[in-house]
């Protein structure tokens, strides 16, 4: 059996005619920048999420960058995030002019540890604490676990919180939108995401109308109307063509998310029988399983064996950010973030998407050795 990591083709084949129609309508309209399709997608996605405003962007990285800019990050301001994420999270901090500061994750949730964040903030003297101008929490693998607890801490310290939901479209906490638990929430529509474009795209979700207006202005050359620019800014607009495609795919997002959750449950049932410690599923945190990640022993052998039987896997992520050559200048060393380092050695991502079948999951689980 051949099981790709994400089967985009099978997904798109199911509504290919709707996509073709959407693309055709953009070509017929001859309007490729901004306009109604972008507004329509923003309104639809805001309704889906349960947030007041969605502002379409050119990518998830740019969404983070502009969220930081709206918070006026500049001139070496400290921004705290985790070393266990895709580099875009920390890159955006540097792009905005801030300084990257890492805090370790929790071993079980894989997300920023509230205890470690609080411990770090408590360890700072008053002058250093003043330098901390934002925290970016990452809803890794689609899980918002502890976002609410991190938000309580950042509110207590008066530090704004950005929630990187690049992997978490539709995640909820206590049945409330995760956008209620941060000052700004950013999304990526990279093709393989739970909601993916046919290229790069992203968005910011925000309840504060002033921040929304500012985001709309700075994503589009700082303009308020044609050729009127109160500020110099950036070009981080969402392509009209991507918006039209995303609007079609948005109709299916909730079904795909439900399918992902059901698939994760089946994985858990089959893998627990083999002794694996599986991802948590509970009522409080609605995880949307962008990735289904387990910890394994003898990872290289498992990857090769599964690959030989047609199953693609991934590692998210194999080298923690604080140990990346790009961040050598920050002066971190091995051993600084033990939970993240241990995870990076043991984690393995198995195929999951909105269409994976029970038969495929059974096939994959059969191939995995017992965990002992
Ligand atoms: C956690 C996280 N943050 C940010 C990004 C950046 O998004 P994009 O690739 O759309 O720039 C990604 C995805 O690639 C991601 O997984």
């Amino acid at each position: 059996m051949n099981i790709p990591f994400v089967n985009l083709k099978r997904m798109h084949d199911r509504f290919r005619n709707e996509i073709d129609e959407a693309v055709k309508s953009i070509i017929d309209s001859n309007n490729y920048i901004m306009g109604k399709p972008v507004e329509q997608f923003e309104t639809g996605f805001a309704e889906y999420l349960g947030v007041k405003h969605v502002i379409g962007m050119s990518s998830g990285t740019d969404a983070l960058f502009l969220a930081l800019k709206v918070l006026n990050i500049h001139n070496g301001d400290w921004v705290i995030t985790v070393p266990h994420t895709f580099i875009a999270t920390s890159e955006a901090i540097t792009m905005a002019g801030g300084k990257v500061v890492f805090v370790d994750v929790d071993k079980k949730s894989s997300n920023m540890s509230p205890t470690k964040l609080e411990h770090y903030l408590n360890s700072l003297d008053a002058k250093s604490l003043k330098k901390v101008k934002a925290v970016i929490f990452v809803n890794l693998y689609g899980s918002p676990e502890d976002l609410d607890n991190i938000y309580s801490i950042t509110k207590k310290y008066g530090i704004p919180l950005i929630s990187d939901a690049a992997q978490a479209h539709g995640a909820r906490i206590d049945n409330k939108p995760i956008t209620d638990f941060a000052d700004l929430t950013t999304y990526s529509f990279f093709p393989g995401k739970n909601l993916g474009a046919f290229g790069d795209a992203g968005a910011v979700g925000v309840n504060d109308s002033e921040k929304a207006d500012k985001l709309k202005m700075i994503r589009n050359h700082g303009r308020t109307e044609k050729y009127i620019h109160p500020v110099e800014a950036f070009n981080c607009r969402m392509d009209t063509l991507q918006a039209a495609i995303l609007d079609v795919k948005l109709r299916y997002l909730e079904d795909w998310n439900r399918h992902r959750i059901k698939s994760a449950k089946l994985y858990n049932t089959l893998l627990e029988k083999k002794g694996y410690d599986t991802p948590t599923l509970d009522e409080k945190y609605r995880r949307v399983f962008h990735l289904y990640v387990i910890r394994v022993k003898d990872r290289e052998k498992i990857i090769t064996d599964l690959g030989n039987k047609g199953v693609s896997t991934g590692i998210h992520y194999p080298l923690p950010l604080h140990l990346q050559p790009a961040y050598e200048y920050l002066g971190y060393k091995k051993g600084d973030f033990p939970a993240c380092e241990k995870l990076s050695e043991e984690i393995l991502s198995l195929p999951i998407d909105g269409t994976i079948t029970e038969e495929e999951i059974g096939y994959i689980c059969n191939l995995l050795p017992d965990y002992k």
Side-chain angles (χ1 to χ4, degrees):
M1 204 183 279
N2 186 35
I3 309 177
F5 191 61
V6 180
N7 199 335
L8 284 180
K9 180 166 167 19
R10 177 167 60 191
M11 216 163 112
H12 293 147
D13 280 351
R14 293 187 181 170
F15 52 94
R16 178 63 194 266
N17 54 336
E18 293 175 65
I19 299 267
D20 289 346
E21 261 317 299
V23 172
K24 185 175 175 303
S25 76
I26 299 299
I27 298 171
D28 288 344
S29 77
N30 221 14
N31 171 25
Y32 301 103
I33 304 293
M34 303 301 288
K36 247 198 154 147
V38 175
E39 280 169 30
Q40 190 172 311
F41 171 68
E42 288 173 337
T43 307
F45 193 49
E47 260 171 39
Y48 174 72
L49 295 177
V51 68
K52 249 194 193 153
H53 309 279
V54 161
I55 301 95
M57 300 279 172
S58 34
S59 70
T61 310
D62 287 339
L64 281 163
F65 167 59
L66 289 196
L68 288 158
K69 276 296 167 203
V70 158
L71 296 176
N72 194 30
I73 298 303
H74 70 300
N75 205 20
D77 289 338
W78 294 8
V79 180
I80 299 173
T81 193
V82 286
H84 188 52
T85 176
F86 182 56
I87 194 170
T89 314
S90 50
E91 250 175 357
I93 298 171
T94 315
M95 278 163 69
K99 180 186 163 185
V100 177
V101 177
F102 291 124
V103 160
D104 206 0
V105 293
D106 176 83
K107 189 170 102 235
K108 178 72 184 146
S109 75
S110 305
N111 286 343
M112 182 181 281
S113 154
T115 321
K116 289 172 189 168
L117 175 65
E118 192 139 40
H119 183 264
Y120 174 74
L121 292 172
N122 281 337
S123 75
L124 298 175
D125 58 31
K127 198 165 152 227
S128 302
L129 190 57
K130 266 202 184 145
K131 292 185 189 160
V132 180
K133 291 289 162 56
V135 170
I136 306 183
F137 175 92
V138 182
N139 300 265
L140 204 70
Y141 309 148
S143 166
E145 184 167 350
D146 278 334
L147 171 62
D148 50 343
N149 297 322
I150 295 286
Y151 194 37
S152 302
I153 295 170
T154 56
K155 275 200 289 195
K156 191 169 90 186
Y157 282 84
I159 304 168
L161 178 66
I162 296 174
S163 167
D164 180 347
Q167 306 184 359
H169 321 69
R172 295 173 79 83
I173 298 177
D174 288 329
N175 208 23
K176 294 193 199 91
I178 56 167
T179 43
D180 285 1
F181 298 89
D183 296 281
L184 298 131
T185 304
T186 63
Y187 292 87
S188 162
F189 305 117
F190 183 84
K193 296 289 196 265
N194 289 33
L195 179 59
F198 283 12
D200 280 311
V204 178
V206 63
N207 284 313
D208 180 315
S209 301
E210 245 179 67
K211 285 194 177 71
D213 287 346
K214 184 145 187 226
L215 282 164
K216 280 182 194 155
M217 182 169 75
I218 65 174
R219 75 169 164 185
N220 195 6
H221 300 289
R223 79 174 220 179
T224 41
E225 52 192 293
K226 202 168 184 181
Y227 301 131
I228 302 296
H229 309 267
V231 292
E232 256 189 329
F234 314 95
N235 177 354
C236 295
R237 299 177 298 228
M238 175 182 275
D239 278 352
T240 311
L241 195 59
Q242 299 302 345
I245 291 165
L246 284 167
D247 204 41
V248 170
K249 293 183 72 174
L250 179 59
R251 297 174 204 149
Y252 301 91
L253 176 59
E254 183 53 23
D255 284 348
W256 292 329
N257 278 340
R258 289 196 183 143
H259 187 85
R260 284 173 184 271
I261 294 166
K262 208 172 98 199
S263 304
K265 277 186 190 152
L266 179 58
Y267 263 128
N268 278 6
T269 307
L270 298 176
L271 292 179
E272 277 158 19
K273 285 186 196 145
K274 293 194 156 199
Y276 285 88
D277 190 8
T278 55
T280 316
L281 278 153
D282 59 46
E283 293 282 308
K284 183 175 172 67
Y285 296 110
R286 182 186 201 232
R287 298 165 177 82
V288 289
F289 289 95
H290 171 58
L291 295 168
Y292 182 85
V293 178
I294 53 167
R295 283 186 287 141
V296 296
K297 290 177 182 162
D298 211 355
R299 184 167 65 186
E300 286 316 308
K301 183 173 177 340
I302 292 177
I303 291 172
T304 308
D305 290 351
L306 287 178
N308 287 339
K309 300 282 184 190
V311 179
S312 300
T313 51
I315 303 173
H316 301 86
Y317 298 89
L319 183 63
L321 292 181
H322 66 289
L323 302 178
Q324 292 283 350
Y327 287 123
E328 223 178 277
Y329 75 96
L330 290 175
Y332 291 110
K333 57 182 187 320
K334 201 164 169 43
D336 281 347
F337 305 111
C340 160
E341 288 169 26
K342 185 116 182 72
L343 282 170
S344 71
E345 287 163 10
E346 298 180 347
I347 43 177
L348 179 70
S349 311
L350 300 176
I352 194 160
D353 58 37
T355 61
I356 192 165
T357 65
E358 289 183 7
E359 195 194 351
E360 286 169 331
I361 293 172
Y363 177 78
I364 295 164
C365 293
N366 254 334
L367 293 173
L368 283 163
D370 286 350
Y371 187 92
K372 40 177 194 246

